[in-house]
Amino acid sequence: MKANKHLLLWSSLAALAVLLWAAVDENFLRDWRVIQWGIQARLPSSQADAFTIQLRQIVSREVGATDRCVSCHVGMAPGESGIEGDRLFGRHRDVVHDPASYGCTVCHGGQGRATDTADAHGTVPHWPEPMLPKEYLFAGCGGCHTHLSVPNLTQLEKGRARFEQADCLACHKLDGRGGTLRPGGAGGQEGPDLSRVGAYGFKANWYEHHMEQKKKAASGPWVSAFGELSESERREIDEYLRSRVGAPGLSEAKALFHTLGCRGCHKVRGVGGDDGPDLTAVGNRDPGQLSFAQVQGERTLANWFKQHFRSPAAVVQGSAMPELGLTERQVDQLTFYVLSLRRRNYPEALWPKDRIRAERFGMREFATDGATLYGTFCAACHGAGGEGMRYPGFAAFPAIGNLDFLRLVSDDFLREQIKRGRPGRRMPAWGQQEGGLRDEEISRLVAYVRDLGGAAYEGDPKPRRWVEGDVVAGERLYVKACAACHGDRGEGREGPALNNRVLLDLATDTYLFKTIQNGRTGTSMVAFGAGSTVRGALTDAEISSIVAFLRTWEGKK
Amino acid sequence: MNNVVEKRNAGEESAVGRFVENLKAAPHRFTETMFRSGRPHSDRTRSTFVFGNVFLHLHSVRTHRWSLRWSATWGLGIAAFSCFFVLVATGVLLMFYYKPYPDVAYLSIKDIHFVVPTGRFIRNIHRWSGNMMVVIVLLHMARVFYTAAYRPPREFNWVTGMGLLAVTLGLSFTGYLLPWDQLAYWAITIGANIAQSPREVTDALGMTQWFDVGGLQKLILLGSEEVGEEALIRFYLFHVMILPLALVALIAVHFWRIRKDGGLARPVDADTRLGPPSGEVYPVFTEAPQKTYSLAAIVKGRTAVVGRGPEQTIPSMPHLLFGEAAVFMLTIALSVILAIFLDAPLKEVANPAVPENPAKAPWYFLGLQELVSHSAFMGGIGIPMIVLIGLGLIPYLDRETEGTGIWFGGPGGRPLVVGSAIFGLAAVVAVEAFVIRFGWIRQWWPNTPQLVVTLVNPGTLLTFLYAVYSVWCLRKYDSTRAGALALFTCFVCGFVVLTVIGSYFRGPNWDFYWSPSQWPGH
């Protein structure tokens, strides 16, 4: 009885104490309350009275955001004035997308509904989308936007150099630089800020317009800073300006992606090869679902990507992606770009025009000149200059810029080859099917590849099939001379597969004959028509019989 | 007119004076009218305090000293009821903010967690009380079994108790889905697949297309082929209305039957075992009965006090009621202490495209899930049915009288229970270790027909071992109670070990791991 009374007393007191603690915790210890008190204390007394301690939030029904970030970052809440330079009470930088109507998480990521610091920043278990790190902030643009016609990095850099050489920065601002001179004189008109000129467009006749102004002017920057530009210079500047969409660094990162040939294996929004994983939403991946067993350092998506780019197979067991030998800067840029490959699902009415152009009108994200197409789809395997590639652990990739090769193939051969690929090998078919290229794009690619070697097709007066040879002798010779590289059944080893359906269909007898006879300079394929110290020369008849033997594989697997 | 003036002159009994007096007396009178018989000072008022109160009159006015010892019950029944009380209170609060629709449900839980004042705390209490209730109900059942308290006239209340266990598990299971996170979604998917497990047998017999009882069970459970909005609204309705009402009804029957069955079970010689009451216990009713207990005669069964003074009973108020209040507050204290330190889990929003690996059912079903991994039908339906039928039959098969009301009472007693525990643990650990180390029929002979695996698998082997051991004990002690003690103890051991293995030692693809740190990809 007495014991029960004691038990009742103490358990009641314990429960009461916990309830009191819960009340104290709720009213005095919540992160956002403590922060708002701190802000109130720093405000001048007149403002401090008007400052209410309360939960603040931005609700945007359209984008589905309920963001309570402004409960701590109060200065960014609608209607708050903020303190200049204050980390938590400072105002948001002026941006096109007003936080008051779009919320915060749309661009920054994180957990908008949370009111505790770690939860809100999303750096807690079971929150799939932590905030984007500051250095990759503009990757957030990729949630809605699709930057179109981005050229390869060489061209973009050329455009930037041209833009700076032409001294455009004298009057124009771009990504926070330049704009020191006023073309209209003191108090006159400023040069427009060009940081986002690619997003809202510019007049095609800007150059003529500038020239008129220059003619009218007697002094000042119109005379001192602006000079004549050639048409090619103007084209390069135009290209550069189109890439200025208010996301500094992101266009360059995307341009690098269009230089290294990543889409040869990876699809992004439906265009690209099938060898690697589709990257369309790879920036949305949940770090909690990734294996960090072989990744040192912090468990963030950015760090995972970086280590993966340095050494893919070390991070993902059995990865078919070679080590690309990237510089740290390239690793950084690629990480930036793949983080921007994120997708949010909004009603179509909210789509920006670039996304509508890309997804409804089929506009390309990559520029469709030959160089960018080659950089986007081919460079990873065939090398930036068509010299072929050799990655540790992978069979060598053919040098398609080789002179001996280009002399023997017509443009039709190249076009058909690109369209049909090499079934069963890593070369995909790039024809009209899903993920492929359009006819005019393939034509530009063919022209570009032709230019890589700078060799024209030497022509072939003979019919496509003219060889007659002894198949048995051919097989004997093949086993002796060719099988070591091309495999016993032509399945390909160090050298390309010769039993390939598309190859045997496209290759003329002349092509096969001359390739064996003359070899390919600079590759492992030597000229068998000429002897060497270790091996006698093959006669024309012998080469013919080898070709005849190769033809026996036609129609077989 | 004159009259009024006269009265005013008289002074002491004016209307205003009486009004003021009445006003002063109002609080006192309010208390008096509320409790009808005033403060419980005497035996008489203590009695009226109990039977004059709608909430307390379910108790008898006097309670036997045997029932008041802590070791008689450990207060488990009241503790389970306290959990339910807390769950209703916190559950109603949560209902103000919870929105039962996919994805929206998840967001509303996030809001409860982050924005609703003390919402996180309330949800934690709800979660901890829910888990505590499952544990306490299981312990309560074990207590009733080991004290042989299911014996006549309490057989039916044992069956009612089993109903309460089922409803409790149902409540916990339906509540599991409501947060609509990955944990919830895949746990319920697993649960629904367990419900579908008869298909293993119908498939093996090739009759699924005519008689798909497994598919039907799953369809009834989920309202659809997959866990989705139909399942959510269904689970919600069951969780907040149908099952709580069923539980309240069953609790009413359960409590009422405790009274009607003569209070808690106690041994025939309880009075001698207790000895004379100590002098501190006050007041003990020692006089010879002045009344006959004729009213008791219309109640079916014997009552302990007929023809004899209730010398071993003491007033329920305060002795029993303070004990119950203490258990009630202790349970609440435990749940709020757990709630303030440990947050209820909330993972990513449910995503049908990304299965959790391993996907685990709620913890109390993990023993079953372990068995299901060997054979879906036996783990999901066969063995649970055997266990449920066996439990339900216990009071009807054990008609002995030895050891009623005594812990581990009956032939064999405590040594038998200890021996059974050792055997039960050894058997389950041995069978599981064998399967984990060497695999089972399917790994050795991949083409074995499914029916063979359904009949011969680690679960059925274990059940068979337990049954054989229990029959051996039954023959050895020549007592059904001894067999029941052995079997029940074995199944408790099996349940505990399988649940622990399922909870802590099963990783991705239900493979065995010593700890989660060895899971691939972590």
Side-chain angles (χ1 to χ4, degrees), chain A residues 158-172 181 194 206-207 210 214 221-230 233-234 236-238 240-241:
Chain A
K158 211 191 279 176
R160 187 180 62 83
R162 196 67 73 199
F163 181 82
E164 290 183 5
Q165 277 164 14
D167 212 6
C168 306
L169 284 174
C171 303
H172 293 284
L181 299 180
L194 300 180
W206 62 268
Y207 177 71
H210 279 62
K214 184 180 169 72
W222 280 119
V223 176
S224 62
F226 191 77
E228 287 184 18
L229 294 165
S230 73
E233 286 171 333
R234 268 146 49 198
E236 282 160 11
I237 290 176
D238 278 353
Y240 181 63
L241 290 180

Side-chain angles (χ1 to χ4, degrees), chain B residues 91-172:
Chain B
V92 167
L93 290 176
L94 290 172
M95 278 172 71
F96 278 103
Y97 292 99
Y98 179 74
K99 304 175 186 76
Y101 195 78
D103 295 1
V104 180
Y106 180 75
L107 296 179
S108 68
I109 300 283
K110 281 281 181 196
D111 281 353
I112 287 170
H113 189 90
F114 286 115
V115 179
V116 174
T118 66
R120 173 190 328 206
F121 183 53
I122 302 280
R123 175 168 175 254
N124 291 350
I125 296 176
H126 194 76
R127 194 251 179 177
W128 282 111
S129 293
N131 277 326
M132 277 166 57
M133 184 165 167
V134 173
V135 175
I136 290 171
V137 166
L138 290 172
L139 289 177
H140 180 54
M141 185 174 80
R143 192 284 293 175
V144 171
F145 175 81
Y146 281 122
T147 54
Y150 51 78
R151 283 179 177 160
R154 298 179 180 80
E155 303 101 313
F156 184 72
N157 222 15
W158 168 264
V159 178
T160 316
M162 282 180 55
L164 282 166
L165 171 66
V167 176
T168 303
L169 290 179
L171 271 166
S172 182

Side-chain angles (χ1 to χ4, degrees), chain A residues 16 26 98 102 196 258 263 278 312 387 462 503 517 526 547:
Chain A
L16 196 63
E26 184 66 35
D98 181 10
Y102 283 86
R196 294 184 53 252
H258 292 170
R263 280 188 193 240
D278 189 322
E387 69 277 18
K462 293 186 178 166
L503 170 72
Q517 189 175 42
V526 294
V547 172

Side-chain angles (χ1 to χ4, degrees), chain B residues 24-199:
Chain B
K24 278 187 200 157
H28 169 68
R29 283 189 183 141
F30 176 76
T31 323
E32 260 183 7
T33 52
M34 191 159 82
F35 291 109
R36 295 181 70 213
S37 52
R39 294 172 67 82
H41 282 305
S42 64
D43 261 16
R44 183 188 180 81
T45 47
R46 283 190 188 100
S47 306
T48 49
F49 184 81
V50 173
F51 65 66
N53 181 308
V54 66
F55 298 109
L56 300 183
H57 85 284
L58 211 54
H59 297 86
S60 54
V61 166
R62 300 180 71 86
T63 308
H64 200 279
R65 278 170 59 214
W66 183 267
S67 309
L68 286 176
R69 298 164 317 133
W70 270 88
S71 67
T73 60
W74 294 109
L76 289 166
I78 292 294
F81 179 73
S82 312
C83 284
F84 180 61
F85 181 84
V86 173
L87 284 164
V88 170
T90 51
V92 167
L93 290 176
L94 290 172
M95 278 172 71
F96 278 103
Y97 292 99
Y98 179 74
K99 304 175 186 76
Y101 195 78
D103 295 1
V104 180
Y106 180 75
L107 296 179
S108 68
I109 300 283
K110 281 281 181 196
D111 281 353
I112 287 170
H113 189 90
F114 286 115
V115 179
V116 174
T118 66
R120 173 190 328 206
F121 183 53
I122 302 280
R123 175 168 175 254
N124 291 350
I125 296 176
H126 194 76
R127 194 251 179 177
W128 282 111
S129 293
N131 277 326
M132 277 166 57
M133 184 165 167
V134 173
V135 175
I136 290 171
V137 166
L138 290 172
L139 289 177
H140 180 54
M141 185 174 80
R143 192 284 293 175
V144 171
F145 175 81
Y146 281 122
T147 54
Y150 51 78
R151 283 179 177 160
R154 298 179 180 80
E155 303 101 313
F156 184 72
N157 222 15
W158 168 264
V159 178
T160 316
M162 282 180 55
L164 282 166
L165 171 66
V167 176
T168 303
L169 290 179
L171 271 166
S172 182
F173 184 70
T174 49
Y176 216 82
L177 179 66
L178 303 189
W180 201 251
D181 62 344
Q182 282 286 72
L183 188 68
Y185 187 91
W186 293 102
I188 301 307
T189 302
I190 293 287
N193 287 342
I194 292 179
Q196 189 187 246
S197 61
R199 216 178 243 188

Side-chain angles (χ1 to χ4, degrees), chain A residues 29-305:
Chain A
L29 302 175
R30 290 275 97 123
D31 280 3
W32 63 270
R33 280 188 197 273
V34 175
I35 285 167
Q36 290 195 9
W37 276 321
I39 291 169
Q40 198 178 34
R42 271 176 290 146
L43 282 171
S45 58
S46 58
Q47 277 176 276
D49 294 339
F51 184 85
T52 48
I53 309 286
Q54 63 180 13
L55 208 59
R56 292 161 163 84
Q57 64 182 12
I58 299 172
V59 177
S60 169
R61 295 212 179 280
E62 290 89 356
V63 297
T66 303
D67 290 346
R68 299 176 177 131
C69 317
V70 289
S71 290
C72 293
H73 303 277
V74 190
M76 298 173 189
E80 293 286 345
S81 50
I83 303 175
E84 198 65 41
D86 191 302
R87 192 172 64 87
L88 283 167
F89 200 44
R91 264 191 293 178
H92 198 281
R93 253 173 54 186
D94 283 337
V95 284
V96 189
H97 303 312
D98 181 10
S101 50
Y102 283 86
C104 320
T105 50
V106 171
C107 302
H108 291 271
Q111 183 175 187
R113 285 179 183 259
T115 52
D116 291 347
T117 312
D119 287 288
H121 293 176
T123 51
V124 287
H126 308 309
W127 187 254
E129 197 195 355
M131 278 183 75
L132 282 166
K134 222 171 185 172
E135 62 266 35
Y136 303 126
L137 183 58
F138 288 105
C141 303
C144 310
H145 291 277
T146 307
H147 301 142
L148 299 168
S149 302
V150 177
N152 65 34
L153 192 55
T154 326
Q155 270 161 273
L156 197 63
E157 286 298 316
K158 211 191 279 176
R160 187 180 62 83
R162 196 67 73 199
F163 181 82
E164 290 183 5
Q165 277 164 14
D167 212 6
C168 306
L169 284 174
C171 303
H172 293 284
K173 260 203 166 115
L174 196 142
D175 296 342
R177 293 169 65 215
T180 47
L181 299 180
R182 275 173 185 271
Q189 191 207 351
E190 261 182 89
D193 190 324
L194 300 180
S195 308
R196 294 184 53 252
V197 74
Y200 52 74
F202 52 91
K203 285 181 184 146
N205 63 348
W206 62 268
Y207 177 71
E208 288 75 20
H209 182 74
H210 279 62
M211 284 309 284
E212 266 171 44
Q213 292 287 335
K214 184 180 169 72
K215 275 178 201 144
K216 274 192 258 170
S219 67
W222 280 119
V223 176
S224 62
F226 191 77
E228 287 184 18
L229 294 165
S230 73
E231 204 177 320
S232 71
E233 286 171 333
R234 268 146 49 198
R235 232 188 354 260
E236 282 160 11
I237 290 176
D238 278 353
E239 182 140 56
Y240 181 63
L241 290 180
R242 273 199 294 274
S243 77
R244 298 301 92 194
V245 289
L250 183 58
S251 296
E252 281 72 10
K254 189 164 182 172
L256 181 66
F257 191 76
H258 292 170
T259 306
L260 297 175
C262 311
R263 280 188 193 240
C265 295
H266 296 284
K267 267 200 176 64
V268 178
R269 290 191 264 278
V271 185
D274 280 328
D275 260 17
D278 189 322
L279 301 181
T280 307
V282 79
N284 283 348
R285 285 176 83 167
D286 175 3
Q289 302 287 333
L290 291 172
S291 167
F292 278 84
Q294 308 298 326
V295 177
Q296 278 125 39
E298 50 183 7
R299 295 171 76 91
T300 60
L301 193 55
N303 186 39
W304 191 92
F305 280 135

Side-chain angles (χ1 to χ4, degrees), chain A residues 502-516:
Chain A
V502 173
L503 170 72
L504 290 173
D505 188 31
L506 290 179
T508 59
D509 281 354
T510 313
Y511 171 85
L512 293 171
F513 185 93
K514 288 210 172 172
T515 302
I516 297 171

